[in-house]
Amino acid sequence: MMHGINVKEYLATHENREIRSGKSGAEVWEVEGRFVLKYVQRTRLPEPEVFEFYRNEANFYQFFGQNCHKGMLPCLPEVLEVQASKDEILILMKKYQELSRDEVSEELLRKIMEALAAVHTQEIPAFLRREKKQPGYLEEDRIEGCIAGWRSVLAEHPGAFDEGILRETAAKINEIIGWHHGEQQVLSHGDFHWENLLLGENGNIIVCDWQGVNAGGASGDISFFLSRLGADGISIEPERAVELYCQERLRLTGETISQDDMIRHMCAANVITSFQFWHEYLHGSPCERVRGIYEKMWME
């Protein structure tokens, strides 16, 4: 056991309820209705290499935590304790209110884009800096596997889809990957979606679950956020989200971001992600949900 909080003793002496324990490997409790305790043991993870993602999160909170409520990154949760050893990670933080999808509005979208812009304008910590790799071009067998995966999804809806989009995307996918690779790198959340957003006491947005934090393109966070909402039937105009985001980047840094370039990078991120991965999750889905993903898998 790490020095500091002993999880077993802490839970025995504080009112708690388990929130999550399962496939992710992290055990999470709500404590006294005011705090959230996350505990990860390397030996209990279904895939031990996932432990490094939780270490990333711990390192991130240790890097920003002391300053997050002094104006540095106010969208972070208030973290009371971070402990990390070779085989265990513990994070104790303040509990916040969950957002309801029924609350989606222009004002809430503005707050979300403001929080994201605040993240993207922060320093990239040294532990996340990597020499920029070559574009992740797909080998021919990977492309063929993605084509086969999508065909199996489309086949569940006979006559509803033209495979032209799939063929054109497959033919251009590496060209799209190469162009998208040139996007400016920022501090990226890496898993920016509705379930990872909370509501602070002052109505501000709190962003949690930083296991995927990385040096990446701003468009990836925005496009993933909109894509996940779209898959759940909530449509937000990308142009409006980008406009709000760019306004905040300008306010924070004086930097003018091309909205057209951002939209193109978002389209590219959507195409790359959809082509490679979405077919794995769409089996058994209604035709319109499949259409919502499939018809966006195209970049002129």
Short mmCIF file of all heavy atoms in Angstrom, two decimals, residues 142-191:
data_model
loop_
_atom_site.label_atom_id
_atom_site.label_comp_id
_atom_site.label_asym_id
_atom_site.label_seq_id
_atom_site.Cartn_x
_atom_site.Cartn_y
_atom_site.Cartn_z
N ARG A 142 -4.95 -3.22 -43.10
CA ARG A 142 -5.78 -2.50 -42.16
C ARG A 142 -6.94 -1.82 -42.90
O ARG A 142 -8.08 -1.83 -42.43
CB ARG A 142 -4.95 -1.46 -41.41
CG ARG A 142 -5.74 -0.52 -40.50
CD ARG A 142 -6.48 -1.24 -39.40
NE ARG A 142 -7.10 -0.30 -38.47
CZ ARG A 142 -8.11 -0.58 -37.70
NH1 ARG A 142 -8.66 -1.79 -37.73
NH2 ARG A 142 -8.60 0.33 -36.87
N ILE A 143 -6.65 -1.21 -44.03
CA ILE A 143 -7.69 -0.57 -44.82
C ILE A 143 -8.74 -1.60 -45.24
O ILE A 143 -9.95 -1.37 -45.13
CB ILE A 143 -7.09 0.13 -46.05
CG1 ILE A 143 -6.21 1.30 -45.61
CG2 ILE A 143 -8.19 0.61 -47.00
CD1 ILE A 143 -5.45 1.99 -46.73
N GLU A 144 -8.28 -2.75 -45.71
CA GLU A 144 -9.22 -3.80 -46.14
C GLU A 144 -10.07 -4.28 -44.97
O GLU A 144 -11.26 -4.57 -45.12
CB GLU A 144 -8.45 -4.96 -46.76
CG GLU A 144 -7.82 -4.65 -48.10
CD GLU A 144 -8.86 -4.25 -49.15
OE1 GLU A 144 -9.97 -4.83 -49.14
OE2 GLU A 144 -8.57 -3.35 -49.95
N GLY A 145 -9.46 -4.36 -43.78
CA GLY A 145 -10.21 -4.78 -42.60
C GLY A 145 -11.29 -3.78 -42.24
O GLY A 145 -12.40 -4.16 -41.84
N CYS A 146 -10.99 -2.47 -42.37
CA CYS A 146 -11.99 -1.44 -42.08
C CYS A 146 -13.12 -1.49 -43.11
O CYS A 146 -14.30 -1.32 -42.76
CB CYS A 146 -11.33 -0.07 -42.08
SG CYS A 146 -10.15 0.19 -40.72
N ILE A 147 -12.77 -1.69 -44.37
CA ILE A 147 -13.79 -1.82 -45.41
C ILE A 147 -14.73 -2.98 -45.09
O ILE A 147 -15.96 -2.86 -45.14
CB ILE A 147 -13.14 -2.01 -46.79
CG1 ILE A 147 -12.39 -0.74 -47.22
CG2 ILE A 147 -14.20 -2.38 -47.84
CD1 ILE A 147 -11.57 -0.91 -48.47
N ALA A 148 -14.13 -4.12 -44.74
CA ALA A 148 -14.94 -5.30 -44.41
C ALA A 148 -15.83 -5.03 -43.19
O ALA A 148 -17.00 -5.44 -43.16
CB ALA A 148 -14.03 -6.49 -44.15
N GLY A 149 -15.29 -4.32 -42.19
CA GLY A 149 -16.08 -4.01 -40.99
C GLY A 149 -17.27 -3.13 -41.32
O GLY A 149 -18.39 -3.38 -40.85
N TRP A 150 -17.05 -2.12 -42.15
CA TRP A 150 -18.15 -1.24 -42.52
C TRP A 150 -19.17 -1.96 -43.39
O TRP A 150 -20.38 -1.77 -43.23
CB TRP A 150 -17.62 0.01 -43.24
CG TRP A 150 -17.39 1.14 -42.30
CD1 TRP A 150 -16.19 1.61 -41.84
CD2 TRP A 150 -18.40 1.93 -41.67
NE1 TRP A 150 -16.39 2.65 -40.96
CE2 TRP A 150 -17.73 2.87 -40.85
CE3 TRP A 150 -19.79 1.95 -41.73
CZ2 TRP A 150 -18.43 3.80 -40.08
CZ3 TRP A 150 -20.48 2.89 -40.96
CH2 TRP A 150 -19.80 3.80 -40.16
N ARG A 151 -18.70 -2.80 -44.30
CA ARG A 151 -19.64 -3.55 -45.14
C ARG A 151 -20.54 -4.44 -44.30
O ARG A 151 -21.73 -4.61 -44.60
CB ARG A 151 -18.87 -4.37 -46.18
CG ARG A 151 -18.40 -3.53 -47.36
CD ARG A 151 -17.61 -4.34 -48.36
NE ARG A 151 -17.31 -3.55 -49.55
CZ ARG A 151 -16.35 -3.81 -50.41
NH1 ARG A 151 -15.55 -4.87 -50.22
NH2 ARG A 151 -16.16 -3.05 -51.46
N SER A 152 -19.99 -5.00 -43.23
CA SER A 152 -20.80 -5.87 -42.38
C SER A 152 -21.88 -5.07 -41.65
O SER A 152 -22.98 -5.58 -41.41
CB SER A 152 -19.91 -6.62 -41.38
OG SER A 152 -19.36 -5.74 -40.41
N VAL A 153 -21.57 -3.80 -41.32
CA VAL A 153 -22.57 -2.94 -40.69
C VAL A 153 -23.64 -2.54 -41.71
O VAL A 153 -24.85 -2.64 -41.45
CB VAL A 153 -21.91 -1.67 -40.10
CG1 VAL A 153 -22.97 -0.66 -39.66
CG2 VAL A 153 -21.02 -2.04 -38.92
N LEU A 154 -23.21 -2.11 -42.90
CA LEU A 154 -24.16 -1.67 -43.93
C LEU A 154 -25.06 -2.81 -44.38
O LEU A 154 -26.23 -2.58 -44.73
CB LEU A 154 -23.39 -1.09 -45.13
CG LEU A 154 -22.46 0.10 -44.83
CD1 LEU A 154 -21.87 0.62 -46.13
CD2 LEU A 154 -23.19 1.21 -44.08
N ALA A 155 -24.51 -4.03 -44.36
CA ALA A 155 -25.30 -5.19 -44.80
C ALA A 155 -26.49 -5.46 -43.88
O ALA A 155 -27.43 -6.15 -44.28
CB ALA A 155 -24.40 -6.43 -44.87
N GLU A 156 -26.46 -4.93 -42.66
CA GLU A 156 -27.59 -5.10 -41.75
C GLU A 156 -28.79 -4.24 -42.17
O GLU A 156 -29.87 -4.39 -41.61
CB GLU A 156 -27.16 -4.74 -40.32
CG GLU A 156 -26.11 -5.69 -39.75
CD GLU A 156 -25.68 -5.29 -38.35
OE1 GLU A 156 -26.27 -4.34 -37.79
OE2 GLU A 156 -24.75 -5.93 -37.81
N HIS A 157 -28.58 -3.36 -43.16
CA HIS A 157 -29.64 -2.47 -43.64
C HIS A 157 -29.68 -2.55 -45.16
O HIS A 157 -29.28 -1.60 -45.86
CB HIS A 157 -29.38 -1.04 -43.17
CG HIS A 157 -29.16 -0.93 -41.69
ND1 HIS A 157 -30.21 -0.87 -40.80
CD2 HIS A 157 -28.02 -0.91 -40.95
CE1 HIS A 157 -29.73 -0.79 -39.56
NE2 HIS A 157 -28.41 -0.82 -39.63
N PRO A 158 -30.16 -3.67 -45.70
CA PRO A 158 -30.12 -3.90 -47.16
C PRO A 158 -30.77 -2.77 -47.95
O PRO A 158 -31.89 -2.34 -47.63
CB PRO A 158 -30.91 -5.21 -47.32
CG PRO A 158 -30.81 -5.89 -45.99
CD PRO A 158 -30.80 -4.77 -44.98
N GLY A 159 -30.04 -2.28 -48.94
CA GLY A 159 -30.57 -1.26 -49.83
C GLY A 159 -30.57 0.15 -49.30
O GLY A 159 -30.91 1.09 -50.02
N ALA A 160 -30.16 0.35 -48.05
CA ALA A 160 -30.25 1.67 -47.44
C ALA A 160 -29.03 2.54 -47.72
O ALA A 160 -29.11 3.77 -47.62
CB ALA A 160 -30.43 1.55 -45.93
N PHE A 161 -27.91 1.92 -48.09
CA PHE A 161 -26.68 2.68 -48.24
C PHE A 161 -25.98 2.37 -49.56
O PHE A 161 -25.98 1.23 -50.02
CB PHE A 161 -25.71 2.36 -47.08
CG PHE A 161 -26.23 2.78 -45.74
CD1 PHE A 161 -26.87 1.86 -44.91
CD2 PHE A 161 -26.08 4.08 -45.29
CE1 PHE A 161 -27.35 2.23 -43.67
CE2 PHE A 161 -26.56 4.47 -44.05
CZ PHE A 161 -27.20 3.54 -43.24
N ASP A 162 -25.37 3.41 -50.11
CA ASP A 162 -24.51 3.28 -51.29
C ASP A 162 -23.07 3.15 -50.78
O ASP A 162 -22.64 3.95 -49.93
CB ASP A 162 -24.65 4.53 -52.16
CG ASP A 162 -23.84 4.46 -53.45
OD1 ASP A 162 -22.85 3.71 -53.49
OD2 ASP A 162 -24.20 5.17 -54.41
N GLU A 163 -22.33 2.18 -51.26
CA GLU A 163 -20.96 1.98 -50.78
C GLU A 163 -19.97 2.98 -51.38
O GLU A 163 -18.78 2.91 -51.09
CB GLU A 163 -20.49 0.56 -51.09
CG GLU A 163 -21.10 -0.49 -50.18
CD GLU A 163 -20.38 -1.83 -50.29
OE1 GLU A 163 -19.33 -1.90 -50.96
OE2 GLU A 163 -20.87 -2.79 -49.69
N GLY A 164 -20.46 3.93 -52.17
CA GLY A 164 -19.56 4.90 -52.78
C GLY A 164 -18.74 5.68 -51.77
O GLY A 164 -17.54 5.90 -51.95
N ILE A 165 -19.40 6.11 -50.69
CA ILE A 165 -18.69 6.85 -49.64
C ILE A 165 -17.56 6.00 -49.07
O ILE A 165 -16.44 6.48 -48.86
CB ILE A 165 -19.66 7.27 -48.52
CG1 ILE A 165 -20.63 8.34 -49.03
CG2 ILE A 165 -18.90 7.79 -47.30
CD1 ILE A 165 -21.67 8.75 -48.02
N LEU A 166 -17.84 4.73 -48.81
CA LEU A 166 -16.85 3.83 -48.24
C LEU A 166 -15.66 3.67 -49.19
O LEU A 166 -14.50 3.75 -48.77
CB LEU A 166 -17.49 2.48 -47.93
CG LEU A 166 -16.57 1.42 -47.31
CD1 LEU A 166 -15.96 1.90 -46.01
CD2 LEU A 166 -17.36 0.12 -47.09
N ARG A 167 -15.94 3.45 -50.47
CA ARG A 167 -14.85 3.25 -51.44
C ARG A 167 -14.00 4.52 -51.58
O ARG A 167 -12.77 4.45 -51.60
CB ARG A 167 -15.44 2.85 -52.79
CG ARG A 167 -16.03 1.44 -52.82
CD ARG A 167 -16.30 1.01 -54.26
NE ARG A 167 -17.30 1.87 -54.91
CZ ARG A 167 -18.61 1.63 -54.89
NH1 ARG A 167 -19.08 0.56 -54.26
NH2 ARG A 167 -19.45 2.45 -55.51
N GLU A 168 -14.66 5.67 -51.67
CA GLU A 168 -13.92 6.93 -51.83
C GLU A 168 -13.07 7.23 -50.60
O GLU A 168 -11.94 7.70 -50.70
CB GLU A 168 -14.91 8.07 -52.08
CG GLU A 168 -15.63 8.00 -53.40
CD GLU A 168 -14.76 8.45 -54.57
OE1 GLU A 168 -13.68 8.99 -54.31
OE2 GLU A 168 -15.18 8.26 -55.72
N THR A 169 -13.64 6.98 -49.43
CA THR A 169 -12.90 7.24 -48.19
C THR A 169 -11.70 6.33 -48.09
O THR A 169 -10.59 6.77 -47.72
CB THR A 169 -13.82 7.05 -46.97
OG1 THR A 169 -14.92 7.94 -47.07
CG2 THR A 169 -13.07 7.31 -45.68
N ALA A 170 -11.88 5.06 -48.40
CA ALA A 170 -10.77 4.11 -48.35
C ALA A 170 -9.64 4.53 -49.29
O ALA A 170 -8.45 4.41 -48.96
CB ALA A 170 -11.26 2.71 -48.70
N ALA A 171 -10.01 5.05 -50.47
CA ALA A 171 -9.01 5.45 -51.45
C ALA A 171 -8.22 6.68 -51.00
O ALA A 171 -7.04 6.84 -51.36
CB ALA A 171 -9.68 5.74 -52.79
N LYS A 172 -8.85 7.55 -50.18
CA LYS A 172 -8.21 8.80 -49.80
C LYS A 172 -7.71 8.83 -48.36
O LYS A 172 -7.15 9.83 -47.91
CB LYS A 172 -9.22 9.96 -49.97
CG LYS A 172 -9.57 10.28 -51.40
CD LYS A 172 -10.47 11.52 -51.44
CE LYS A 172 -10.73 11.98 -52.85
NZ LYS A 172 -11.55 13.21 -52.88
N ILE A 173 -7.93 7.76 -47.61
CA ILE A 173 -7.70 7.82 -46.17
C ILE A 173 -6.28 8.22 -45.80
O ILE A 173 -6.06 9.04 -44.90
CB ILE A 173 -8.11 6.48 -45.48
CG1 ILE A 173 -8.13 6.64 -43.96
CG2 ILE A 173 -7.22 5.33 -45.92
CD1 ILE A 173 -9.17 7.60 -43.45
N ASN A 174 -5.29 7.71 -46.49
CA ASN A 174 -3.91 8.06 -46.13
C ASN A 174 -3.57 9.49 -46.54
O ASN A 174 -2.77 10.16 -45.86
CB ASN A 174 -2.93 7.07 -46.74
CG ASN A 174 -2.83 5.79 -45.93
OD1 ASN A 174 -3.03 5.81 -44.71
ND2 ASN A 174 -2.55 4.68 -46.57
N GLU A 175 -4.17 9.98 -47.60
CA GLU A 175 -3.99 11.39 -47.96
C GLU A 175 -4.57 12.29 -46.87
O GLU A 175 -3.96 13.29 -46.47
CB GLU A 175 -4.69 11.65 -49.29
CG GLU A 175 -4.63 13.09 -49.76
CD GLU A 175 -5.44 13.32 -51.03
OE1 GLU A 175 -5.67 12.35 -51.77
OE2 GLU A 175 -5.85 14.48 -51.26
N ILE A 176 -5.73 11.92 -46.36
CA ILE A 176 -6.37 12.69 -45.28
C ILE A 176 -5.53 12.63 -44.02
O ILE A 176 -5.31 13.65 -43.34
CB ILE A 176 -7.79 12.15 -45.02
CG1 ILE A 176 -8.68 12.38 -46.25
CG2 ILE A 176 -8.41 12.80 -43.78
CD1 ILE A 176 -10.01 11.66 -46.20
N ILE A 177 -5.03 11.46 -43.69
CA ILE A 177 -4.18 11.30 -42.49
C ILE A 177 -2.94 12.18 -42.60
O ILE A 177 -2.55 12.84 -41.62
CB ILE A 177 -3.79 9.81 -42.32
CG1 ILE A 177 -5.02 9.01 -41.86
CG2 ILE A 177 -2.65 9.66 -41.31
CD1 ILE A 177 -4.80 7.51 -41.86
N GLY A 178 -2.32 12.20 -43.76
CA GLY A 178 -1.11 13.00 -43.94
C GLY A 178 -1.37 14.49 -43.77
O GLY A 178 -0.60 15.20 -43.09
N TRP A 179 -2.47 14.99 -44.36
CA TRP A 179 -2.78 16.41 -44.21
C TRP A 179 -3.13 16.75 -42.76
O TRP A 179 -2.65 17.75 -42.20
CB TRP A 179 -3.97 16.78 -45.13
CG TRP A 179 -4.38 18.21 -44.97
CD1 TRP A 179 -3.79 19.30 -45.52
CD2 TRP A 179 -5.44 18.70 -44.13
NE1 TRP A 179 -4.43 20.45 -45.12
CE2 TRP A 179 -5.45 20.11 -44.26
CE3 TRP A 179 -6.39 18.10 -43.32
CZ2 TRP A 179 -6.37 20.92 -43.60
CZ3 TRP A 179 -7.30 18.90 -42.66
CH2 TRP A 179 -7.28 20.29 -42.79
N HIS A 180 -3.94 15.92 -42.14
CA HIS A 180 -4.39 16.18 -40.77
C HIS A 180 -3.22 16.16 -39.78
O HIS A 180 -3.24 16.86 -38.76
CB HIS A 180 -5.44 15.15 -40.38
CG HIS A 180 -6.05 15.35 -39.04
ND1 HIS A 180 -6.61 16.54 -38.63
CD2 HIS A 180 -6.18 14.50 -37.98
CE1 HIS A 180 -7.06 16.43 -37.39
NE2 HIS A 180 -6.81 15.21 -36.98
N HIS A 181 -2.19 15.41 -40.10
CA HIS A 181 -1.03 15.28 -39.21
C HIS A 181 -0.32 16.62 -39.01
O HIS A 181 0.37 16.81 -38.01
CB HIS A 181 -0.05 14.26 -39.80
CG HIS A 181 1.13 13.98 -38.94
ND1 HIS A 181 1.05 13.25 -37.77
CD2 HIS A 181 2.45 14.33 -39.06
CE1 HIS A 181 2.25 13.15 -37.22
NE2 HIS A 181 3.11 13.79 -37.97
N GLY A 182 -0.51 17.55 -39.94
CA GLY A 182 0.17 18.85 -39.85
C GLY A 182 -0.49 19.85 -38.92
O GLY A 182 0.01 20.96 -38.76
N GLU A 183 -1.59 19.46 -38.26
CA GLU A 183 -2.27 20.39 -37.36
C GLU A 183 -1.39 20.75 -36.17
O GLU A 183 -0.64 19.93 -35.64
CB GLU A 183 -3.59 19.78 -36.85
CG GLU A 183 -4.41 20.73 -36.01
CD GLU A 183 -5.72 20.11 -35.53
OE1 GLU A 183 -5.90 18.89 -35.69
OE2 GLU A 183 -6.55 20.87 -35.00
N GLN A 184 -1.50 22.01 -35.71
CA GLN A 184 -0.76 22.47 -34.54
C GLN A 184 -1.08 21.60 -33.33
O GLN A 184 -2.23 21.25 -33.09
CB GLN A 184 -1.12 23.93 -34.23
CG GLN A 184 -0.45 24.49 -32.97
CD GLN A 184 -1.03 25.84 -32.58
OE1 GLN A 184 -2.03 26.28 -33.14
NE2 GLN A 184 -0.40 26.51 -31.64
N GLN A 185 -0.08 21.29 -32.53
CA GLN A 185 -0.25 20.48 -31.33
C GLN A 185 -0.58 21.35 -30.12
O GLN A 185 0.04 22.40 -29.91
CB GLN A 185 1.01 19.67 -31.04
CG GLN A 185 1.42 18.72 -32.15
CD GLN A 185 0.47 17.53 -32.24
OE1 GLN A 185 0.52 16.62 -31.44
NE2 GLN A 185 -0.38 17.54 -33.25
N VAL A 186 -1.56 20.93 -29.35
CA VAL A 186 -1.94 21.62 -28.11
C VAL A 186 -2.10 20.57 -27.01
O VAL A 186 -2.00 19.36 -27.26
CB VAL A 186 -3.27 22.39 -28.29
CG1 VAL A 186 -3.14 23.47 -29.35
CG2 VAL A 186 -4.42 21.42 -28.64
N LEU A 187 -2.35 21.04 -25.80
CA LEU A 187 -2.69 20.13 -24.71
C LEU A 187 -4.11 19.64 -24.95
O LEU A 187 -5.07 20.41 -24.87
CB LEU A 187 -2.60 20.85 -23.36
CG LEU A 187 -2.96 20.02 -22.14
CD1 LEU A 187 -1.95 18.88 -21.93
CD2 LEU A 187 -3.03 20.89 -20.88
N SER A 188 -4.26 18.36 -25.25
CA SER A 188 -5.55 17.79 -25.64
C SER A 188 -6.07 16.85 -24.56
O SER A 188 -5.30 16.07 -24.00
CB SER A 188 -5.39 17.03 -26.97
OG SER A 188 -6.54 16.28 -27.27
N HIS A 189 -7.36 16.94 -24.28
CA HIS A 189 -7.97 16.05 -23.28
C HIS A 189 -7.92 14.61 -23.74
O HIS A 189 -7.63 13.69 -22.96
CB HIS A 189 -9.41 16.48 -23.01
CG HIS A 189 -10.10 15.64 -21.98
ND1 HIS A 189 -10.77 14.47 -22.29
CD2 HIS A 189 -10.23 15.79 -20.64
CE1 HIS A 189 -11.28 13.94 -21.20
NE2 HIS A 189 -10.98 14.73 -20.17
N GLY A 190 -8.24 14.36 -25.00
CA GLY A 190 -8.12 13.01 -25.56
C GLY A 190 -9.36 12.14 -25.42
O GLY A 190 -9.44 11.09 -26.05
N ASP A 191 -10.33 12.57 -24.60
CA ASP A 191 -11.57 11.80 -24.44
C ASP A 191 -12.69 12.77 -24.06
O ASP A 191 -13.44 12.54 -23.12
CB ASP A 191 -11.39 10.72 -23.37
CG ASP A 191 -12.52 9.69 -23.38
OD1 ASP A 191 -13.16 9.52 -24.43
OD2 ASP A 191 -12.76 9.06 -22.33
#
